[in-house]
Amino acid sequence: MADSDARLSDHEWKWKMAAEGKAIYIPGKTAEQIKVEMAATAEGLAQKSARTITMTAGAWSTIDTAIPDVIEMLSDVRNVLHELAYADDLDQPWVNSVMRLSARAMQSMQDKEILVLDQLDVAIRDATEEDAA
């Protein structure tokens, strides 16, 4: 290493070597820096966040059954789409029937379960985080 190179920082030296075609240098973070950041992010995501959400008793009652109902419906939709994806002939009579029944089932949830879950989503987003005591 030349005397002038000794005065270069690690970053500057790597840039110089890359500029001379002697190395490839992609500036970034060290593995240790990334590990520290990932640990801090994981710690932040694991912290509890309290919020107070006010909704009507009727809405809470509907939410109690809406969440498992919507989860079940999504599972059913996944199963239908899986079957359709691997069907050899989409012109079969059952395909149109299954699609109509699936659409009707989803539409029947629109005015009750999906509506109240949308209200819950808005209430959660409008709620402010409470100070941890």
Side-chain angles (χ1 to χ4, degrees):
M1 182 182 289
D3 188 40
S4 63
D5 289 347
R7 291 179 286 195
L8 296 176
S9 70
D10 184 56
H11 175 74
E12 292 169 331
W13 185 79
K14 289 177 181 177
W15 269 113
K16 181 181 177 194
M17 292 295 106
E20 293 175 3
K22 297 178 182 175
I24 297 174
Y25 177 53
I26 302 170
K29 299 175 183 173
T30 66
E32 189 60 36
Q33 289 170 321
I34 292 171
K35 286 179 186 176
V36 168
E37 287 180 5
M38 288 175 63
T41 300
E43 183 179 319
L45 292 174
Q47 290 179 350
K48 303 269 185 203
S49 174
R51 298 174 190 273
T52 299
I53 301 167
T54 304
M55 298 181 76
T56 66
W60 283 117
S61 176
T62 303
I63 288 169
D64 185 46
T65 58
I67 292 172
D69 288 350
V70 169
I71 290 169
E72 182 180 14
M73 174 63 71
L74 289 173
S75 177
D76 291 343
V77 168
R78 179 190 55 83
N79 292 338
V80 166
L81 292 174
H82 183 269
E83 290 300 318
L84 291 173
Y86 292 99
D88 292 331
D89 183 6
L90 292 177
D91 291 328
Q92 294 291 325
W94 67 268
V95 172
N96 197 19
S97 298
V98 166
M99 295 300 288
R100 275 198 314 266
L101 287 171
S102 297
R104 286 180 187 161
M106 291 295 288
Q107 186 61 41
S108 73
M109 296 185 93
Q110 179 66 37
D111 296 330
K112 184 179 176 187
E113 290 88 352
I114 295 175
L115 177 66
V116 77
L117 289 176
D118 185 48
Q119 292 169 354
L120 177 61
D121 175 53
V122 170
I124 290 170
R125 292 174 192 281
D126 287 346
T128 57
E129 189 169 354
E130 297 174 358
D131 292 332

